Amino acid sequence: MAKAPSDLTLNQVRYFVRVAELGSMTETAAEMFVAQSAISTAIAHLETTLGHKLFVRQRSRGVVLTEQGTTFYAAAQTILRSVDDAVHSLSPERLTGQLAAGCFTTLAPFWLPTIYEDLTSAHPALDVRLREVTGDQVEQLLLRRELEVALTYSFDYGRSIDFERLSEAPVYAAVGEGSHLAGRSTVSLEELADEPLILLNMGKSANYFLSIFQDAHLQPRVHERFESFEVVRSMVARGHGYTILNQRPAHDLTNDGGRIVRLPIDGVRSYLQIGVAHRADESLSRKGEVFIEACRSILG
């Protein structure tokens, strides 16, 4: 029989949430600087209080949530967020607790360090945890509540995700210095379609780049596909083809010392937005709001 809800403690809830996210009591204990026995005892007491098994212990996979554990995980996140907001209401100038935020992997090198510095400088007591994510991970991690917000592109994430636009990501073609197109001031999509394309192949990103040609009723010659932004740039710099990208590094050098030439594409507009994605069915915590404010200040 379940005990009275008053037997539940905040530490039990905090331990439970982190174990659910890490899938390991050992890792949770190390991260929170407590004995593993304290974690396992707290989880056992919590299960007794609730009258339900929250985890299944598996040797090869650590621990995984049961159906009841998954349900309670969502509620536990709300509990912890409400406590943080209640504490914040007494000292609105001082944010504490943990902010779990994501950043699309190709945006991360350009914006994530500055966002991190702005947040930690303005809110030194805030535990900022930033994570690189792909387009295919954004919706999943937000709905699993592993992230509250994510700086990303305006891909189709479904009705469960809201997207707040901050800026447009300009599109351009990149060729090597030795390309016959390198001396041009602009290039047409028709000309590019006849050249070998080195495609940045990151799920939703690949679909977006290919859609630029599809919208113009053109079929590109995809020569190679890579998931790394820098590998694509290096391949282009070495003359293996051209690529189409959105983010603009501060210089045109590649990691291996090559150089690319960036060209505007005649008559092509990106229409791809950069912004912050978050769950549509609930209001943001103050921590989520300050993340958006930091992103807006930097990108807006």
Side-chain angles (χ1 to χ4, degrees), residues 21-267:
E21 292 169 346
L22 296 177
S24 169
M25 293 190 187
T26 302
E27 291 184 30
T28 300
E31 180 181 283
M32 294 187 160
F33 302 103
V34 297
Q36 182 176 340
S37 59
I39 300 292
S40 58
T41 299
I43 297 299
H45 287 170
L46 181 60
E47 291 177 326
T48 300
T49 298
L50 298 174
H52 290 285
K53 201 73 170 173
L54 301 176
F55 292 108
V56 175
R57 280 71 171 174
Q58 297 182 345
R59 288 186 179 181
S60 60
R61 297 179 57 192
V63 295
V64 294
L65 288 168
T66 63
E67 182 178 350
Q68 292 83 2
T70 301
T71 300
F72 185 68
Y73 175 70
Q77 290 279 59
T78 301
I79 291 170
L80 296 181
R81 186 166 53 250
S82 297
V83 170
D84 285 344
D85 289 344
V87 173
H88 172 67
S89 68
L90 300 177
S91 302
E93 73 287 350
R94 184 173 185 269
L95 273 182
T96 60
Q98 183 184 112
L99 166 66
C103 185
F104 191 84
T105 184
T106 56
L107 292 172
F110 301 94
W111 308 113
L112 191 148
T114 305
I115 292 169
Y116 180 83
E117 290 175 3
D118 284 7
L119 287 172
T120 54
S121 175
H123 308 283
L126 185 62
D127 180 13
V128 179
R129 298 180 181 239
L130 301 180
R131 175 176 176 179
E132 289 184 70
V133 295
T134 66
D136 294 328
Q137 291 176 314
V138 170
E139 181 178 7
Q140 176 187 22
L141 294 176
L142 287 172
L143 295 181
R144 283 169 49 185
R145 299 176 181 272
E146 293 187 33
L147 301 175
E148 181 177 4
V149 285
L151 179 67
T152 185
Y153 290 112
S154 56
F155 299 129
D156 180 14
Y157 296 117
R159 295 182 179 180
S160 297
I161 302 299
D162 276 348
F163 181 84
E164 180 172 336
R165 174 193 181 278
L166 298 179
S167 65
E168 184 172 302
V171 64
Y172 65 92
V175 299
E177 284 186 302
S179 169
H180 66 97
L181 298 173
R184 302 277 296 276
S185 57
T186 64
V187 66
S188 72
L189 207 57
E190 289 79 9
E191 291 173 297
L192 291 174
D194 292 331
E195 303 288 326
L197 170 61
I198 310 297
L199 180 67
L200 181 59
N201 189 37
M202 296 183 61
K204 293 179 184 292
S205 293
N207 294 336
Y208 160 71
F209 290 124
L210 293 175
S211 74
I212 294 175
F213 291 94
Q214 292 167 0
D215 291 345
H217 305 291
L218 295 170
Q219 182 66 43
R221 290 175 50 207
V222 179
H223 180 54
E224 297 286 354
R225 300 170 182 256
F226 297 100
E227 296 182 0
S228 166
F229 183 82
E230 278 304 320
V231 170
V232 166
R233 294 177 78 248
S234 293
M235 289 289 288
V236 169
R238 288 176 175 272
H240 297 294
Y242 75 97
T243 193
I244 295 181
L245 298 170
N246 292 107
Q247 291 306 306
R248 297 171 179 260
H251 56 76
D252 291 325
L253 291 176
T254 62
N255 283 352
D256 60 350
R259 185 183 297 275
I260 65 169
V261 177
R262 292 180 286 188
L263 298 172
I265 306 174
D266 291 331

